[in-house]
Amino acid sequence: MATKDQDPKAAAALADQKGKESRNYEATEHKMSLEELKAKFETAIDLQNPKESKGLSEQEAKNRFLRDGPNAMTPPKQTPEIVKFLMQFTNMFMILLMVASALSFLAYGLDKTEPVNLYCGSALIIIVFLQCLASYLEERKSHATMNSLKSMMPSQCNVGRDGMPRRIPASELVIGDIVLLKGGDRVPADLRLIQTSGLKVESSSLTGEPDAFEMSVAHTHEEPFESKNLAFNTSQCTEGAAVGVVIRTSDRTLIGMVAKLATATKVQVSTLQKELSRIVKFITMLAFFLALCILIIGFAQGVPWQLVVNLVITVFCANIPQGLPATVTSCLGIAAKRMHNRHVLVKNLEVIETLGSASCICSDKTGTLTQNRMTVQNFWFNNSFEMLQGAVVIGATSSAASAHTAQDMLHGKNEKKTKNSVTESATQVFVRWRSNPLEPLLLVAAVCNSAKFAAGEGPANENVNLSGPLPELQWFEADKSGPLPDLKAVAPPGGKVDELVRTTSGPQRVHSGISTHSVSGAAVTSRTEKAKATGEILGDASEAALLRYCESIYPVDRIRKLYALSFDQPFNSTNKYALCVVDPPGNEAPGKQYIFLKGAPEVVVERCSTWLCAGQNQAIDEDFKSKFLQAYERFAMAGERVLGFAKLVIDKMPADQMTAANVPSSGFMFLGLASLMDPPKDGVDKAVDECHHAGIRVFMVTGDHALTAEAIAHKVHIITKPTRLDLAHERGCAVEDIDPHDPEIKAIVIAGHELRQLDEAQWGALLDHDQIVFARTTPQQKLEIVERLQKRGEIVAVTGDGVNDAPALKAADIGVAMGNPNASDVARDAADIIILDDDFCSIVSAIREGRLLFDNLKKSVVYTLTHLVPEMVPVFLNIVLLFPLGLSSLLILTIDLGSELVPAISLAYELPENAIMSRAPRNIKTDRMVTWQVLCHSYLFAGVVESLFSILAFFCVFWTHGVALADLCFPDSKLYFSGSDAPVMHSNGRDFSADEQSKILSVGNSAVYANIILCQMFHIWFCRTRATSVTQHPLFSNKLTLMAMPWELGFIAIFCFIPEMEVVFISGLGLPVEFWCLSLGFLGWVTLHTECLKFFARRYMAGRKSFLGKLAW
């Protein structure tokens, strides 16, 4: 609580800062030694050999389980469906209609001789119920965020308790447990790793990036999120093995915090909801004010209370646009259907208009801007750069096989050659691709590669009999003096132990005791071919990209059979390379073996003494090293991942001498470089350009590294201005030598750990830039970026497809998820919109639809509000001047919910006016749906004139029937024209009986009714555009507007010419044609008025300011 001396704003800022800090994942365990971990968590850790750690006792584990609860995330509170339905009745529109309905029933209860009140009350209550039901059904959707998160949680895990390995439900894990991990496992809780053996972990559920990183025991970064000795809940172990201590469970884990943010984040009120709420408040105040005026004037005039109540009901009916909710819902549904045709699925209809108001898009990189598939980009070999197109090296003399691009193969082209290749011998295949200029490099890329096409459920499930002993039980039986074994190793079909088999992490020895079963070769082949067609690959992303590229040129499985593997040393973060020893096929090199080397370019080139150029070995000299560095830097500066390839020919080694220590590690021949990148999707750059043209800022918010993010941002035009790195290159200096506040820096690239150091002023300066890339961000930081932009008045759209994006998607004004199969269900559940075709360009189409929706809704509101004035004027003439009531409440309902509904909805089908994507985003504070310009047009310029012609028709009916207007104003009796009990009226020397009065009033009601509808029928043609002349807009482009004309004329025919309507609606006795013609006067006025204002509006938009231009709505 703030003290008296403390500034309330400062206290609020401090509280807000504390709230943001509580979102951050705070941990110090990654900095602790094993002794400190042992002491803190009171668990039995073997400091000398952690894999022998005994862990907790069963009793201690039970005690901690009772203290901390299960290792499961707390589901959010659910609102009962009945409560959601009843909440629809709290809408102010509905409350007003229910008040009017209650008054109708009250009036009927006090005077049952007037059934009109019963009909009116019943109609109103039915309207309320149907509209609330429709709104509930539209808004109802499944909030399955927690269920999606639960599906990511592992069901079982391996722990050590009391020194014995156990397999327990992951929900029973407690803090301090010793967990055993192997390739293929999901991390069951947040772990501090205490021993690793080649463990690689992919944390796309948290970072959004699919890359797997090698973990270690060492503390590698001050930030826990960046340190390699912490493995987080729901992360995927791709290979290797490790032992870890549980440091967080349930909601306290990092993914648990993300889940709480995704489910607890306050749902944003859409801009459309705000606009409609504003309209409702205005109409509510106007209705109550007018109703109060009617009450005061009515009782002051001595009008019977029954008539006053009826007039109050009529005021409510006239002021409340009963059809507006239905019109808005229909317009939203139409827009949603149109967006679905553009591959955009709208979960929350109201957000369509918000998307049209978007001023800033915060886009994830992987899977949104890029293809989420690592792809080979370029090669450097023969001392030259080769750019790729498909799977062909441009400018290279490729063989017939290499001429088949990846696209051709995917679409079934060259099918004949592909089929023929199946019947070729391995030697023929070898000869056919041998002429490819990239063959030496691609041979290494294909063979020295642990990636493979998936077959069925993966190697473990194919080759391991799950009913036998579990592989993880061999952990404690293995040689305790050596490194931890890779428990993904499995026996080959046939079940022979100690046989070398190839897995995604290279050949491993299969431990005795693992039961196996054979798999049908035909079935495996069939599944493998299917996997090739779908691109499903097991292995590291970089190796998968190389495999995919090589496979597009020649069959890798055959090449691997040709070059039989004798020894394999997988990549690790210490050596930074992978190598394998193979036997060359046939008589290619009798008595020789090849060593293929692949890895970090600087490491590979250090082990080389020569390099391959035009088929010749050349010694590595300074000139080569200079060119090599230039090539390496060129690829790296483009944000591409670079690999080097080399080859060495050796005399054949005996199998028993083939160890890592005996395999030569120098004297290699350098073959070249390959660069890889997750490439941008087609058309993203153009879509971003269109966003910029529309005044929308596009920021990249990613978990990837800054260099890669900046390179992609340049390619997709998110960054078009100089960054700090660009200035460093331009000036030929290091990035650190460039002042971060240099005025020439126009685009910002900032990492997540730097965001924590920013104060409020620095945040403000940062967000002032138009081009920003946020790299290495956590889910909490993504959320903070969204909230800070919203505080600045921005309408923020967030795109993403990962769990890490869910909190920001939920908090954003518009959450946009990708619909690709790799996208997270959590992200889709949290989003408002799903892009089904996974195309960023569809977002631009959705923005265009959102802007069009706002324009069309504004047109519908202008059209709908106009008829409220001519409906109110008869009421005030009746209560103030005591004229007969010219329009009954039931007739008003037939206008609002009948004749006006189709025309108002038809405006949703209007085409966009010129340059809808050339104007700046709508300013939600000034450019509202109902402005003073809208009210002037609807209530004054159109509504008042429409009222004049309607009332003129009403007066003409009395005049033609011989009733003097002077006798209608303040008549001798207030009961004239009140029904069957009305007294005889004297006017112009004639007596008019009650029956004659009823017939004249019926015709008068019909005249007002018909002229209101006719005037509106003319008016809608001028509401189709806001600035474009009606003569320049396609006249017959909107078929529904054309259909609305006979629809409206049909209501006139029903309620003006069917005698049976006279009893209830006080109309239906016909209407002479001369009374119809009065509406033509309104047509002339509205044509002159609107075309004049639109002319000045166009000049105003062009920069020529004037009052008449500002007056246009």
Side-chain angles (χ1 to χ4, degrees):
M1 182 178 294
T3 63
K4 292 182 179 180
D5 297 331
Q6 188 176 7
D7 184 4
K9 291 185 178 180
L14 180 61
D16 184 59
Q17 181 66 25
K18 288 182 178 180
K20 287 183 171 58
E21 289 175 355
S22 66
R23 297 174 177 173
N24 294 324
Y25 186 81
E26 302 294 343
T28 57
E29 288 84 357
H30 60 299
K31 303 177 184 179
M32 293 182 179
S33 64
L34 294 186
E35 292 88 347
E36 292 172 321
L37 283 174
K38 181 178 181 180
K40 178 175 181 178
F41 295 108
E42 298 179 354
T43 185
I45 299 176
D46 190 319
L47 302 180
Q48 301 301 321
N49 197 354
K51 65 183 178 183
E52 292 186 346
S53 300
K54 294 183 178 181
L56 300 173
S57 66
E58 285 292 347
Q59 185 59 46
E60 179 62 22
K62 289 180 181 179
N63 294 338
R64 295 189 183 189
F65 183 86
L66 293 175
R67 181 193 69 190
D68 299 330
N71 179 34
M73 286 175 279
T74 306
K77 294 181 180 179
Q78 298 293 331
T79 304
E81 293 298 318
I82 185 63
V83 175
K84 294 180 182 178
F85 175 66
L86 294 177
M87 287 297 293
Q88 304 299 324
F89 291 86
T90 60
N91 182 290
M92 287 303 300
F93 268 138
M94 302 301 109
I95 292 175
L96 286 177
L97 290 176
M98 286 188 290
V99 169
S101 176
L103 290 174
S104 298
F105 287 128
L106 177 63
Y108 176 72
L110 297 175
D111 185 4
K112 295 185 179 180
T113 60
E114 291 291 339
V116 173
N117 291 323
L118 177 62
Y119 302 146
C120 185
S122 301
L124 288 172
I125 204 67
I126 291 173
I127 291 168
V128 169
F129 179 80
L130 292 178
Q131 290 200 0
C132 289
L133 180 62
S135 298
Y136 165 73
L137 294 177
E138 287 289 350
E139 293 180 4
R140 184 181 181 185
K141 59 182 179 179
S142 174
H143 295 286
T145 302
M146 285 305 303
N147 292 333
S148 299
L149 285 167
K150 286 179 182 178
S151 68
M152 300 176 60
M153 298 288 291
S155 57
Q156 299 285 320
C157 63
N158 304 303
V159 300
R161 288 183 180 174
D162 285 325
M164 295 295 294
R166 300 184 184 280
R167 191 165 178 82
I168 65 172
S171 60
E172 295 181 7
L173 271 182
V174 296
I175 293 176
D177 260 328
I178 301 296
V179 176
L180 317 175
L181 294 176
K182 63 176 177 53
D185 288 346
R186 278 195 183 274
V187 180
D190 286 0
L191 307 179
R192 159 64 198 276
L193 301 179
I194 58 177
Q195 188 167 358
T196 63
S197 177
L199 180 72
K200 286 188 176 181
V201 172
E202 178 259 302
S203 301
S204 60
S205 60
L206 293 167
T207 66
E209 303 304 319
D211 296 335
F213 294 98
E214 186 160 359
M215 309 301 286
S216 70
V217 178
H219 162 222
T220 59
H221 202 282
E222 289 298 313
E223 295 289 336
F225 189 69
E226 299 285 351
S227 187
K228 300 302 181 187
N229 62 356
L230 292 184
F232 297 103
N233 191 8
T234 72
S235 296
Q236 181 72 45
C237 302
T238 60
E239 59 182 84
V243 180
V245 180
V246 176
I247 61 173
R248 303 283 190 280
T249 60
S250 62
D251 293 335
R252 297 174 291 275
T253 62
L254 182 56
I255 193 68
M257 295 179 66
V258 173
K260 289 178 70 176
L261 289 174
T263 54
T265 301
K266 184 179 179 181
V267 178
Q268 295 293 324
V269 178
S270 69
T271 56
L272 181 59
Q273 287 176 314
K274 294 176 182 177
E275 289 296 326
L276 293 178
S277 176
R278 189 167 174 269
I279 294 173
V280 168
K281 289 178 181 177
F282 169 76
I283 291 176
T284 300
M285 290 188 293
L286 181 62
F288 275 105
F289 172 75
L290 294 177
L292 182 61
C293 292
I294 293 296
L295 285 173
I296 294 173
I297 297 173
F299 288 125
Q301 294 275 36
V303 178
W305 68 267
Q306 296 94 334
L307 295 180
V308 174
V309 171
N310 286 338
L311 290 176
V312 169
I313 294 170
T314 304
V315 166
F316 276 114
C317 291
N319 275 277
I320 302 171
Q322 294 89 350
L324 186 59
T327 300
V328 171
T329 301
S330 300
C331 290
L332 290 172
I334 293 165
K337 183 178 180 181
R338 200 155 48 200
M339 291 174 70
H340 190 272
N341 294 335
R342 296 176 179 267
H343 309 291
V344 179
L345 176 64
V346 182
K347 293 171 57 183
N348 181 2
L349 295 181
E350 291 178 348
V351 85
I352 299 174
E353 188 281 324
T354 308
L355 189 57
S357 307
S359 59
C360 179
I361 298 176
C362 294
S363 177
D364 183 35
K365 178 182 72 68
T366 305
T368 304
L369 300 173
T370 65
Q371 299 174 13
N372 195 17
R373 190 173 76 167
M374 192 65 72
T375 306
V376 177
Q377 294 291 300
N378 305 296
F379 288 103
W380 182 74
F381 68 105
N382 281 347
N383 195 25
S384 63
F385 290 96
E386 298 293 348
M387 311 300 290
L388 297 188
Q389 182 177 1
V392 178
V393 181
I394 299 175
T397 304
S398 59
S399 65
S402 64
H404 301 169
T405 65
Q407 289 85 349
D408 289 340
M409 296 185 71
L410 287 174
H411 291 88
K413 297 181 181 179
N414 303 308
E415 183 179 358
K416 183 177 180 181
K417 294 183 180 180
T418 303
K419 289 183 178 180
N420 288 341
S421 67
V422 175
T423 63
E424 294 176 331
S425 68
T427 304
Q428 288 174 314
V429 175
F430 170 73
V431 171
R432 187 157 56 81
W433 60 258
R434 182 72 172 181
S435 59
N436 192 310
L438 269 173
E439 178 271 330
L441 188 153
L442 293 181
L443 179 61
V444 177
V447 179
C448 187
N449 189 328
S450 64
K452 64 179 182 179
F453 286 98
E457 299 298 327
N461 288 344
E462 283 184 5
N463 300 325
V464 177
N465 185 349
L466 298 180
S467 64
L470 294 170
E472 48 268 25
L473 296 183
Q474 305 305 313
W475 192 307
F476 293 88
E477 300 171 8
D479 180 10
K480 296 180 176 58
S481 63
L484 287 169
D486 183 348
L487 296 183
K488 287 181 69 178
V490 294
K496 294 181 181 180
V497 298
D498 293 337
E499 180 178 351
L500 283 174
V501 294
R502 189 174 190 85
T503 69
T504 56
S505 57
Q508 301 287 343
R509 288 198 178 275
V510 181
H511 293 272
S512 302
I514 301 180
S515 300
T516 65
H517 69 275
S518 62
V519 180
S520 168
V524 172
T525 302
S526 173
R527 287 195 296 269
T528 303
E529 292 304 320
K530 181 180 178 182
K532 290 180 180 180
T534 59
E536 183 184 356
I537 296 177
L538 298 176
D540 178 78
S542 298
E543 296 195 331
L546 293 171
L547 173 61
R548 191 180 297 111
Y549 179 79
C550 294
E551 182 70 28
S552 69
I553 298 179
Y554 53 79
V556 171
D557 54 346
R558 296 198 172 196
I559 299 304
R560 288 177 174 176
K561 289 178 182 178
L562 287 172
Y563 292 87
L565 183 68
S566 295
F567 178 79
D568 192 4
Q569 183 177 336
F571 180 92
N572 62 66
S573 59
T574 302
N575 296 332
K576 295 186 178 180
Y577 67 81
L579 64 79
C580 65
V581 180
V582 299
D583 297 319
N587 296 322
E588 180 175 314
K592 301 291 184 180
Q593 286 181 316
Y594 296 156
I595 302 179
F596 293 155
L597 181 68
K598 176 194 68 180
E602 67 276 11
V603 174
V604 171
V605 80
E606 282 179 3
R607 285 161 172 73
C608 296
S609 58
T610 61
W611 64 290
L612 182 66
C613 181
Q616 301 296 321
N617 256 355
Q618 296 188 17
I620 290 180
D621 53 18
E622 292 303 319
D623 181 59
F624 168 80
K625 291 182 179 179
S626 175
K627 293 176 180 178
F628 165 81
L629 285 175
Q630 289 177 9
Y632 187 12
E633 290 177 359
R634 174 174 170 178
F635 289 146
M637 294 312 301
E640 297 172 356
R641 186 176 299 172
V642 190
L643 293 175
F645 300 86
K647 174 183 176 181
L648 178 64
V649 181
I650 61 172
D651 293 330
K652 190 167 185 176
M653 298 176 61
D656 58 350
Q657 296 181 14
M658 201 168 294
T659 63
N662 292 334
V663 173
S665 59
S666 61
F668 283 81
M669 176 178 63
F670 186 79
L671 302 177
L673 300 173
S675 68
L676 305 94
M677 176 180 273
D678 181 11
K681 296 177 181 176
D682 293 337
V684 170
D685 53 347
K686 295 179 181 178
V688 172
D689 288 340
E690 191 168 357
C691 287
H692 290 160
H693 186 62
I696 303 170
R697 297 194 294 172
V698 183
F699 298 155
M700 181 189 290
V701 186
T702 177
D704 207 348
H705 294 282
L707 193 62
T708 305
E710 181 174 347
I712 292 294
H714 275 293
K715 290 187 176 183
V716 300
H717 298 177
I718 288 178
I719 289 181
T720 58
K721 300 176 182 179
T723 63
R724 190 182 181 191
L725 183 61
D726 294 333
L727 291 183
H729 292 170
E730 182 181 327
R731 299 174 184 177
C733 62
V735 177
E736 293 75 14
D737 296 333
I738 302 295
D739 184 358
H741 305 291
D742 191 309
E744 292 188 35
I745 299 176
K746 303 299 181 182
I748 302 297
V749 179
I750 186 169
H753 67 272
E754 297 176 273
L755 294 177
R756 281 195 175 190
Q757 314 302 323
L758 300 182
D759 56 28
E760 291 296 324
Q762 291 171 326
W763 266 106
L766 171 65
L767 297 179
D768 283 338
H769 289 83
D770 292 332
Q771 299 179 357
I772 309 175
V773 170
F774 298 93
R776 298 303 291 169
T777 54
T778 65
Q780 293 90 337
Q781 288 170 334
K782 291 187 177 187
L783 177 59
E784 182 178 8
I785 291 167
V786 171
E787 292 176 339
R788 287 186 177 276
L789 285 168
Q790 289 173 331
K791 284 185 177 181
R792 292 167 60 92
E794 303 272 3
I795 301 298
V796 183
V798 171
T799 69
D801 62 354
V803 178
N804 60 311
D805 301 314
L809 288 169
K810 189 75 175 289
D813 298 286
I814 317 105
V816 184
M818 298 294 116
N820 65 76
N822 296 323
S824 164
D825 287 339
V826 182
R828 286 194 282 258
D829 291 336
D832 303 297
I833 291 174
I834 299 175
I835 306 298
L836 298 176
D837 61 355
D838 210 26
D839 190 351
F840 186 84
C841 304
S842 298
I843 299 175
V844 180
S845 299
I847 291 174
R848 185 183 295 106
E849 288 293 337
R851 292 189 174 190
L852 177 59
L853 174 66
F854 178 81
D855 285 355
N856 289 345
L857 277 177
K858 192 164 189 174
K859 296 168 188 176
S860 293
V861 169
V862 168
Y863 174 79
T864 301
L865 292 181
T866 300
H867 69 254
L868 300 184
V869 176
E871 289 174 355
M872 280 298 303
V873 168
V875 176
F876 273 89
L877 289 177
N878 177 257
I879 198 68
V880 177
L881 302 179
L882 302 182
F883 275 95
L885 183 61
L887 201 64
S888 68
S889 57
L890 287 180
L891 282 177
I892 291 175
L893 289 178
T894 64
I895 293 175
D896 293 357
L897 291 172
S899 66
E900 295 291 79
L901 205 55
V902 173
I905 292 174
S906 74
L907 292 173
Y909 289 93
E910 281 303 322
L911 299 175
E913 296 182 56
N914 295 331
I916 194 171
M917 289 297 286
S918 298
R919 65 189 190 214
R922 179 173 71 89
N923 187 327
I924 61 172
K925 294 182 179 179
T926 57
D927 188 6
R928 296 186 175 275
M929 193 171 294
V930 175
T931 60
W932 66 268
Q933 292 96 331
V934 167
L935 295 179
C936 283
H937 176 84
S938 297
Y939 286 164
L940 184 60
F941 301 129
V944 169
V945 176
E946 195 172 300
S947 302
L948 291 177
F949 286 103
S950 300
I951 293 302
L952 180 59
F954 182 69
F955 289 161
C956 288
V957 169
F958 286 90
W959 178 70
T960 57
H961 283 80
V963 179
L965 296 181
D967 294 331
L968 296 175
C969 183
F970 296 110
D972 298 333
S973 174
K974 296 182 178 64
L975 298 178
Y976 290 153
F977 298 94
S978 61
S980 58
D981 296 331
V984 176
M985 179 182 179
H986 304 278
S987 181
N988 285 336
R990 288 183 54 189
D991 291 336
F992 295 89
S993 65
D995 185 55
E996 290 176 311
Q997 292 176 39
S998 295
K999 290 181 179 180
I1000 295 172
L1001 182 60
S1002 178
V1003 176
N1005 272 254
S1006 297
V1008 175
Y1009 184 80
N1011 274 275
I1012 291 177
I1013 292 177
L1014 289 171
C1015 289
Q1016 285 291 86
M1017 191 173 70
F1018 297 140
H1019 185 218
I1020 192 171
W1021 294 97
F1022 298 91
C1023 289
R1024 295 179 63 201
T1025 61
R1026 296 176 60 187
T1028 306
S1029 171
V1030 69
T1031 60
Q1032 296 173 341
H1033 196 67
L1035 188 61
F1036 301 110
S1037 60
N1038 193 335
K1039 295 180 180 179
L1040 189 60
T1041 301
L1042 293 173
M1043 294 171 57
M1045 297 183 69
W1047 170 269
E1048 292 178 290
L1049 293 174
F1051 275 84
I1052 294 176
I1054 292 172
F1055 292 100
C1056 294
F1057 292 94
I1058 297 180
E1060 286 76 12
M1061 296 295 173
E1062 197 270 339
V1063 177
V1064 177
F1065 293 93
I1066 317 176
S1067 63
L1069 299 182
L1071 185 67
V1073 68
E1074 58 266 23
F1075 299 119
W1076 294 54
C1077 297
L1078 291 173
S1079 60
L1080 295 176
F1082 176 80
L1083 175 61
W1085 159 255
V1086 75
T1087 301
L1088 178 64
H1089 168 70
T1090 57
E1091 286 299 298
C1092 179
L1093 284 186
K1094 288 176 183 179
F1095 170 76
F1096 284 101
R1098 293 191 295 272
R1099 290 166 58 93
Y1100 191 90
M1101 292 169 65
R1104 302 179 68 176
K1105 308 296 183 181
S1106 66
F1107 174 73
L1108 288 179
K1110 193 174 183 179
L1111 194 60
W1113 56 272

